[in-house]
Amino acid sequence: MNQHATKAKAFIQDEARTNWHDEALWFIRAKRDQATALVAEWEALRELASGIKDHVLGNLDQYLEQFSERAIANGVQVHWARDAREHNQIVLGILQQTNATRLVKSKSMLTEECGLSDYLVENGVSVVDTDLGERIIQLREEPPSHIVLPAIHLKKEEVGELFHEHLGTPAGLSDPTQLTEAARHHLRDHLVGCDAALTGVNFAIAETGGVVVCTNEGNADMGVHSAPVQIHCMGIEKIIPRAQDLGIFIRVLARSATGQPSTVYTAHHHRPRPGTQMHIVIVDNGRTEQLGRPDFRNSLKCIRCGACMNTCPIYRRSGGHSYGTTVPGPIGSILTPGFDLKQHADLPFASTLCGSCSDVCPVKINIHEQLYQWRQAVVEAGLADPAKVQTLNLSGAILAKPWWYRITGRLARLALRWAPRWLVYNRWNTWGQDRELPPAPRESFQDWYRKKHKA
Ligand code: SF4
């Protein structure tokens, strides 16, 4: 079943929401364009960032070992998780060993990917997401719809209703400043009283054994500095070789994500504060397998800026939830088929292949080419929509023979002019359910051109 198309259809039923979702993301894309235009060496930075990630992916085992050794030497406890289950068990184990029952969490798509929050709650841990957007969707009990702007699909009035219900703000309050103020007070209580703080990782520096977390709200730092136990969870691909490489990634990350010159906070965590514990959990969860696929390995260069989502015409008009994956949009559509091709076979088709995603990607991932390659993998695996395959086979046969093409074109024009409407627009013609063909011309382009050429 084509889940993306079904969910996208549900999303676009609300035309007003579809329009402002589209416009809000395009606004961010435009800010990104302005910010990058001010950096004369932008393309050189992209080239460097891409090259460094290429080098890391080719030497990942060595850099991971180096990172782990340096982190341990700094007094950090390093854990390795093969998959989501192990990751969740490790985090729970750390919390149980330190008698922590109140966890604050921020900035981690990886923990979303692993389903950590539900697992911890089932095991008696209270988990509070402290990024504003993440807290909003946590209260709504739904997944993020964007990797940088998790609640971008919601209107401020909806957030007002949610806060009225959960935080006791006045009914009808929808002023963003006042809602943010209410969230600050609510989250501050959780941050100050927490037993442990968990964050994701933007970059892990092999040379120093330290991790870097980029945020705009300061909540991740406040949690980490309040808690006696700090945990940082990272995918194996987050490594960069040296501290001096960081400047390149910091310069491209925020500009690509939101059009800011840099994130408001760029926190470096190298060792536990005296009397506290610092843990780093390094997770594979399918990444090594992706690394072994030559056509797709470079998707692991992703620094999760979200720019490919903001620019994608399909993402902007279908919403992040339509993808049914932790990471939606173009990058999600090339990452998730690697985890489970059968379940996500429709995602490589959720694209126009316009290439805008590849153009904005700060680490130069050839996203649209990989989407096309995944399509071929889907067809080869026999997972493509049979109707689509038959239609394309038939089209291929027709296009391969000019005389067949001319006859079919003539018949199609006649049918479109004279056949009863129900013969063309019926339940088998899903394309025609939301679209109208223009009136059929009387002659083909070739006929028209020949006549014109003779005259
Ligand atoms: S694929 Fe590129 S543009 Fe998309 S989120 Fe990753 S780094 Fe950003």
Side-chain angles (χ1 to χ4, degrees):
M1 185 172 104
N2 193 331
Q3 290 185 36
H4 178 266
T6 308
K7 288 182 183 165
K9 190 169 182 178
F11 183 80
I12 59 173
Q13 296 307 308
D14 185 342
E15 206 175 323
R17 187 188 300 274
T18 310
N19 288 341
W20 65 248
H21 187 265
D22 182 10
E23 284 160 17
L25 290 162
W26 190 249
F27 174 74
I28 299 167
R29 155 77 209 261
K31 272 179 71 189
R32 172 255 170 222
D33 289 351
Q34 287 161 9
T36 59
L38 293 174
V39 181
E41 65 278 26
W42 181 253
E43 286 307 316
L45 286 174
R46 286 180 75 209
E47 201 63 56
L48 275 170
S50 180
I52 292 168
K53 282 284 185 181
D54 246 341
H55 170 73
V56 168
L57 293 178
N59 300 279
L60 196 53
D61 51 343
Q62 290 166 32
Y63 281 124
L64 280 168
E65 270 179 37
Q66 186 188 3
F67 172 76
S68 167
E69 278 166 18
R70 301 281 152 92
I72 290 168
N74 291 340
V76 176
Q77 299 182 46
V78 176
H79 312 259
W80 299 85
R82 255 174 304 210
D83 53 26
R85 195 174 58 90
E86 273 190 17
H87 164 266
N88 294 349
Q89 286 171 347
I90 288 167
V91 174
L92 180 64
I94 297 167
L95 297 176
Q96 286 174 337
Q97 275 163 24
T98 53
N99 296 321
T101 56
R102 290 166 301 172
L103 176 76
V104 289
K105 188 162 88 57
S106 89
K107 271 281 155 214
S108 179
M109 292 307 288
L110 175 66
T111 56
E112 283 290 331
E113 176 186 320
C114 296
L116 178 70
S117 294
D118 287 346
Y119 177 79
L120 292 181
V121 170
E122 281 164 21
N123 284 281
V125 179
S126 133
V127 182
V128 174
D129 278 303
T130 57
D131 287 280
L132 177 57
E134 284 174 3
R135 184 61 178 152
I136 289 169
I137 56 159
Q138 188 183 32
L139 291 173
R140 283 175 62 95
E141 297 180 12
E142 64 184 23
S145 71
H146 188 288
I147 57 174
V148 176
L149 311 155
I152 187 73
H153 58 290
L154 296 173
K155 300 178 198 172
K156 59 184 190 306
E157 289 77 16
E158 290 168 312
V159 177
E161 275 172 35
L162 183 78
F163 281 11
H164 173 61
E165 189 187 329
H166 291 274
L167 312 189
T169 52
L173 182 71
S174 64
D175 175 61
T177 308
Q178 288 175 291
L179 291 174
T180 308
E181 188 62 25
R184 273 185 65 210
H185 286 292
H186 160 72
L187 290 170
R188 188 168 287 257
D189 292 341
H190 289 285
L191 284 160
V192 170
C194 68
D195 301 320
L198 184 150
T199 80
V201 169
N202 290 94
F203 306 103
I205 307 169
E207 177 186 54
T208 66
V211 294
V212 178
V213 184
C214 304
T215 62
N216 278 324
E217 297 168 27
N219 54 309
D221 308 310
M222 194 170 171
V224 164
H225 290 125
S226 316
V229 179
Q230 70 185 89
I231 307 169
H232 303 280
C233 299
M234 55 175 268
I236 56 172
E237 79 285 10
K238 295 288 177 180
I239 294 278
I240 58 170
R242 302 163 304 178
Q244 74 182 73
D245 301 322
L246 187 63
I248 295 161
F249 290 97
I250 296 293
R251 291 187 77 194
V252 295
L253 175 64
R255 283 184 173 88
S256 300
T258 55
Q260 294 166 266
S262 72
T263 44
V264 178
Y265 301 93
T266 301
H268 298 248
H269 303 283
H270 278 88
R271 53 186 57 82
R273 287 171 288 118
T276 69
Q277 292 185 17
M278 177 170 163
H279 298 259
I280 297 177
V281 188
I282 305 173
V283 186
D284 186 324
N285 203 31
R287 287 160 175 77
T288 302
E289 225 174 309
Q290 187 81 334
L291 193 63
R293 299 182 179 111
D295 288 342
F296 305 112
R297 75 198 289 266
N298 108 26
S299 60
L300 293 172
K301 290 180 180 178
C302 177
I303 56 172
R304 303 290 193 269
C305 70
C308 56
M309 294 165 205
N310 304 342
T311 199
C312 176
I314 302 296
Y315 175 87
R316 283 189 278 117
R317 295 197 68 81
S318 64
H321 288 159
S322 63
Y323 292 79
T325 53
T326 306
V327 178
I331 179 64
S333 299
I334 60 172
L335 283 174
T336 39
F339 292 127
D340 186 339
L341 186 60
K342 192 170 180 196
Q343 194 188 343
H344 302 295
D346 59 331
L347 291 187
F349 297 90
S351 167
T352 61
L353 298 186
C354 64
S356 185
C357 46
S358 306
D359 288 344
V360 297
C361 178
V363 283
K364 300 191 90 166
I365 301 174
N366 56 336
I367 306 170
H368 71 294
E369 289 170 2
Q370 291 188 38
L371 285 165
Y372 180 58
Q373 282 158 329
W374 272 122
R375 288 184 187 189
Q376 292 169 43
V378 168
V379 173
E380 275 166 26
L383 296 168
D385 177 355
K388 198 178 271 182
V389 173
Q390 294 309 328
T391 309
L392 287 172
N393 284 342
L394 185 63
S395 305
I398 292 170
L399 290 169
K401 297 206 166 34
W403 60 269
W404 195 197
Y405 171 74
R406 277 194 293 276
I407 292 174
T408 321
R410 202 160 292 154
L411 289 174
R413 284 194 300 281
L414 278 173
L416 284 171
R417 279 216 305 281
W418 301 112
R421 188 179 162 79
W422 60 262
L423 209 59
V424 180
Y425 295 96
N426 51 46
R427 68 192 173 94
W428 291 287
N429 177 7
T430 48
W431 187 92
Q433 279 167 14
D434 297 302
R435 305 173 183 88
E436 278 284 330
L437 283 167
R442 291 191 172 273
E443 58 189 355
S444 71
F445 173 76
Q446 278 185 345
D447 295 340
W448 172 85
Y449 186 83
R450 267 197 214 103
K451 257 199 285 174
K452 193 174 163 59
H453 199 60
K454 269 187 202 156

